[in-house]
Every structure is written in structure tokens, then in C-alpha cells.
Amino acid sequence: MPAAKYKFLEQQACDFDIGNTADGSAFGTLRVKPSTILWKPKGAKAKTPWFSVGLDDVAALAVEKNYKVNK
């Protein structure tokens, strides 16, 4: 069978809306990319830049805090 001309491309980022479970209010948006995690707080204007942290920094923080959780 010949190679396909078209293919499904992998998603480059995933957005998650974070909110309060008690009253359903929004807290902000978290965007996970292959190399960084971005944060935009609730109520930010459209041109407000995202706040960014690298995955290496997140991994170092997780090891430093040493919180053990079950899946």
C-alpha cells in the first residue's frame, strides 16, 4: 500500500479552563504545550500576554515539594 498523502496532525497545545467547583466561577486558563505551561488569569483582556514557565522548572518544583499522590 502506498504512503498516505494526508495524515492527522498531532495537537500542539491543550487548553484547560480552571474554575471553582463550589460556585462554578472561572479562575483562569491553563495551556499545556510540548515545552511550556502557560497561564492566563480570569478576566484578562484579549491582548494580555500569557504567563509562562518551562517544563524543566515545573519538574524541579515537583521534586522539591515532594508531594506524593495516588493516581
Side-chain angles (χ1 to χ4, degrees):
M1 180 172 217
K5 183 177 179 180
Y6 299 103
K7 66 178 182 175
F8 290 104
L9 301 176
E10 293 182 30
Q11 193 172 4
Q12 295 299 313
C14 294
D15 286 352
F16 299 93
D17 292 326
I18 309 298
N20 188 339
T21 57
D23 60 7
S25 63
F27 185 66
T29 302
L30 187 71
R31 177 175 287 170
V32 180
K33 298 175 98 177
S35 61
T36 58
I37 296 176
L38 305 169
W39 170 257
K40 190 172 236 185
K42 172 191 124 179
K45 304 277 190 242
K47 294 185 179 185
T48 301
W50 291 77
F51 298 99
S52 173
V53 64
L55 290 182
D56 291 336
D57 296 330
V58 172
L61 178 65
V63 170
E64 177 186 321
K65 293 296 183 184
N66 197 25
Y67 293 137
K68 304 266 195 271
V69 296
N70 295 327
K71 289 184 180 181

